[in-house]
Amino acid sequence: MNKKDWLKRVEGHRDRLRERFLRHGIASFTDSDIIELLLTFGTPRQDCKERARALLKRFGSLSGVLEASIEELQEVKGVGPKNAMALKFVHEVARRFLRQRILERSYVQCARDVVEYLWHSLSFKDREFFIGLYLDTSNRIIEVLELFSGTLDRTAVYPREVVKTALDKKAKSIILVHNHPSGRIEPSTSDLQTTKKVMLGAMALDIRVLDHIIIGGPGDYFSFEENGIMERLRLEVVTLFHEKR
């Protein structure tokens, strides 16, 4: 097959992918199809099918491919800086979209959106990250901030800084979030103690801690509030608070 015929075949396949998306949406695509089409944005006149398959083999899933760094993506044969940039650009657009969807909205009305954003941001991290969601008097989300980062299984959290940031942001309540890279979502003794310390410092300033959410793998999370832990901790913190006065 000469080069002209080869290019014609590649472009025909690509056109069919685009048309399928326009007619049937993303549900008609396999993960390999999605990655292949994204790669073509970086190299529009090259066959990207084998590269897409190689990326899936290396990183295990569409999410794994999108979470990989530009350096890691380029370790796969045939994937160059333009391909890697196309993949990362789409991923960062999705992250910004999810973040903007929750800011200035009531947490009560968009709790699921918050968890979706956090999954997207944290579920494939190989280190622990500690996030603070800061809310106003109407429970609208003022800011989402990455406060601390650590190792595979622990993060040094400074409750004073968590509460100080709430004051700086004029927040009336906080939601604590961190990830477990191991995928296990059960809270540790350290997680419980950290939550109590933040609650105790916040109580002195009339700031409420509404929840602590642990993010595991995609779609997997543990909410202290949903599992009845926050109410128990509030009672313990109230007792400690009055004992200290």
Side-chain angles (χ1 to χ4, degrees), residues 22-121:
L22 291 172
R23 286 188 175 185
H24 306 292
I26 201 74
S28 67
F29 276 48
T30 65
D31 285 355
S32 183
D33 290 336
I34 293 170
I35 294 168
E36 180 185 351
L37 195 54
L38 291 176
L39 289 172
T40 67
F41 297 154
T43 50
R45 295 178 64 83
Q46 295 182 22
D47 186 349
C48 297
K49 184 180 294 184
E50 291 306 316
R51 298 178 211 185
R53 291 173 178 170
L55 284 164
L56 274 176
K57 184 176 180 181
R58 166 70 186 276
F59 298 107
S61 66
L62 173 62
S63 297
V65 172
L66 294 179
E67 286 289 343
S69 69
I70 286 181
E71 293 74 22
E72 289 171 329
L73 291 169
Q74 290 183 80
E75 291 172 2
V76 175
K77 184 178 179 181
V79 177
K82 292 181 179 179
N83 295 137
M85 191 280 290
L87 291 168
K88 294 308 296 179
F89 181 75
V90 168
H91 183 250
E92 291 304 319
V93 168
R95 181 171 293 176
R96 180 176 293 190
F97 164 74
L98 291 170
R99 178 185 176 86
Q100 290 183 351
R101 193 167 69 176
I102 65 174
L103 290 176
E104 298 300 323
R105 291 182 59 199
S106 169
Y107 177 76
V108 174
Q109 296 173 352
C110 71
R112 187 67 187 180
D113 290 343
V114 170
V115 172
E116 184 179 346
Y117 166 69
L118 295 169
W119 288 338
H120 187 82
S121 300

Side-chain angles (χ1 to χ4, degrees), residues 83-213:
N83 295 137
M85 191 280 290
L87 291 168
K88 294 308 296 179
F89 181 75
V90 168
H91 183 250
E92 291 304 319
V93 168
R95 181 171 293 176
R96 180 176 293 190
F97 164 74
L98 291 170
R99 178 185 176 86
Q100 290 183 351
R101 193 167 69 176
I102 65 174
L103 290 176
E104 298 300 323
R105 291 182 59 199
S106 169
Y107 177 76
V108 174
Q109 296 173 352
C110 71
R112 187 67 187 180
D113 290 343
V114 170
V115 172
E116 184 179 346
Y117 166 69
L118 295 169
W119 288 338
H120 187 82
S121 300
L122 294 175
S123 62
F124 286 92
K125 298 291 188 184
D126 58 4
R127 292 184 293 142
E128 280 200 6
F129 288 83
F130 191 92
I131 307 290
L133 276 72
Y134 294 93
L135 293 77
D136 66 13
T137 53
S138 300
N139 277 345
R140 288 181 304 182
I141 299 170
I142 301 168
E143 188 58 272
V144 182
L145 293 174
E146 181 183 302
L147 299 172
F148 313 104
S149 62
T151 63
L152 176 65
D153 59 356
R154 67 183 65 239
T155 304
V157 177
Y158 302 96
R160 184 190 300 271
E161 291 301 313
V162 178
V163 177
K164 180 180 180 298
T165 302
L167 288 174
D168 293 342
K169 297 292 178 182
K170 297 180 172 57
K172 291 302 292 181
S173 52
I174 311 168
I175 296 168
L176 311 175
V177 185
H178 78 281
N179 62 313
H180 280 179
S182 66
R184 296 186 62 182
I185 55 174
E186 295 79 11
S188 66
T189 300
S190 176
D191 295 335
L192 295 169
Q193 290 300 319
T194 294
T195 308
K196 284 177 67 173
K197 289 176 182 177
V198 174
M199 292 174 75
L200 190 59
M203 182 175 288
L205 298 169
D206 195 29
I207 297 170
R208 284 175 54 82
V209 180
L210 301 181
D211 201 355
H212 190 159
I213 298 171

